[in-house]
Amino acid sequence: MSSDAKKVLTGPIVDNNPIALQVLGICSALAVTSSMANALVMTLAVIFVTAFSNLFISIIRNQIPSSVRIIVQMAIIASLVIVVDQVLKAFSYQLSKELAVFVGLIITNCIVMGRAEAYAMKTPPLMSFMDGIGNGLGYGIVLVIVAFFRELFGVGKLLGTEVLNASPESWGYKHSGLMVVPTGAFVIIALIVWVHHNYTKQFED
Amino acid sequence: MSSNKETFGKTVGFVLAVCVVCALLVSFSAVQLKPLQQANKLLDQQTKILEAAGLLEKAGKDVVKTYNEFVVAKMIDLDSGNFVEGDVLNFDERRNARDKAMSSKPKDDMAGINRRSNTAVVYLVKNEAGSIDTVVLPIVGSGLWNLMFGYIGLEADLNTVKNVIYSDHSETPGLGAEVLNPKWKALWPGKKIYNGAGEVKAMLVKGGAKADDIHGVDALSGATLTSNGVTRTLQFWFGEEGYAPFITKFRAEGVK
């Protein structure tokens, strides 16, 4: 891979992370991170949608009339999301039931539209595709970290297997109710943003 | 000046082209994947029914084979409790409930289902000897956020619970969704639905059921509304507007 493509792919994972820096995609990060399995499947779905929507939009970027630009982007993104939903229903009925509404809501995920507008409309297809994957990965990392803490401290499990047993009689530990609800996700994301900014030394003045 | 692409004609043409391509993509994947989706949905249903009947471990990987060998689906008329003819494979209780001709409004909608289908499909499960030793009844009722769908497996006396298996719900993970927790599911085997007088006594007990309580099961911690929903679902479906007529008939006459 050329170094340009590599930069585009890896940039959004840490430095230009969509959630931590661009502050995009927070909504679903609050909703689907109650378990790691859900977070992982969502991540794959978002990577797929962002990469291919970037690709297709980039291919027709010079042909789209600017009066219908946003609508056309939305139509493409929506179609891809429907395809992902159908595939999920076909291959894992259980997961599709758990993720239900949230897969459909990828359409509203700002990351997808955000990258389409800000990058795919101005950049050739291959780089756009890489950018889509990179942003999906950056989103995914934050999701998995949040889900890790929420699942572990909220219900004492990791990927479904019981890890932390809450027996109040034995040592007074109780599962954190805060972690089960989206507020807990919000708090963790805030902490991640704080750590991220300190680590990459990017501060807003 | 690239105003060429901005003409009205070009814009409309472009939009139509995008629509056609998107529509093709979406319909192609939907049509191609439909058989797989339906097979998956059916497999999920069969798995849940076997689990409710206590046969899932025995089935292992051969869910379909075990299901076909031991489970017989039969349609019943809820009001009379009689067996009726009908398409058991494509039966959808909620679809019937939306059809005014095939459903009715319960006098006491304690489970919050609005309308109830007039027919239901029950699953009679045979044992190795060929006689029916388990009956699985589908149940549906309001939880906190939305309807909860499940299957309750009963012993041949149609009073002792084998399993309560929820197949579909929208409850909060860690709270209401704990209906799926194996530890909670393990509380059910052996519980009795009815008391000596034929009243529905099964319920979820807030704060935990006593050790000798044959009708009560621990409610879900932090999920009062879900727990109440489960209790009311059981009370409805085992009451006169649910399976009670069928249960009375079945105990008296068996399979017809």
Side-chain angles (χ1 to χ4, degrees), chain A residues 93-108:
Chain A
Y93 191 65
Q94 265 302 113
L95 274 172
S96 82
K97 269 200 293 194
E98 281 186 48
L99 288 177
V101 189
F102 301 117
V103 174
L105 287 175
I106 296 178
I107 300 173
T108 63

Side-chain angles (χ1 to χ4, degrees), chain A residues 34 38 56 60-68 72 75-76 78-80 82-83 85-94 97 154-155 157 162 165 180-181, chain B residues 5-7 10-12 14-15 18-19 22-23 25-26 29-31 33-34 36-37 40-41 44-45 48 167-169 172-175 178 180-183:
Chain A
S34 46
N38 287 1
F56 294 142
I60 53 172
R61 74 187 183 284
N62 293 322
Q63 263 64 42
I64 308 180
S66 55
S67 50
V68 291
V72 167
I76 295 175
S79 309
L80 286 166
I82 295 176
V83 169
D85 194 30
Q86 295 293 314
V87 168
L88 207 57
K89 277 208 190 94
F91 290 99
S92 176
Y93 191 65
Q94 265 302 113
K97 269 200 293 194
V155 294
K157 296 186 190 161
E162 189 115 4
N165 192 304
V180 176
V181 290
Chain B
K5 69 173 185 209
E6 302 290 340
T7 66
K10 280 235 167 79
T11 305
V12 172
F14 187 85
V15 169
V18 169
C19 286
C22 285
L25 176 68
V26 169
S29 53
V31 167
L33 293 171
K34 204 171 176 75
L36 209 54
Q37 289 173 355
N40 250 334
K41 203 162 170 211
D44 183 68
Q45 185 192 41
K48 293 291 184 299
S167 60
D168 213 343
H169 70 86
T172 313
L175 300 175
E178 288 295 283
L180 300 177
N181 190 327
K183 289 216 192 98

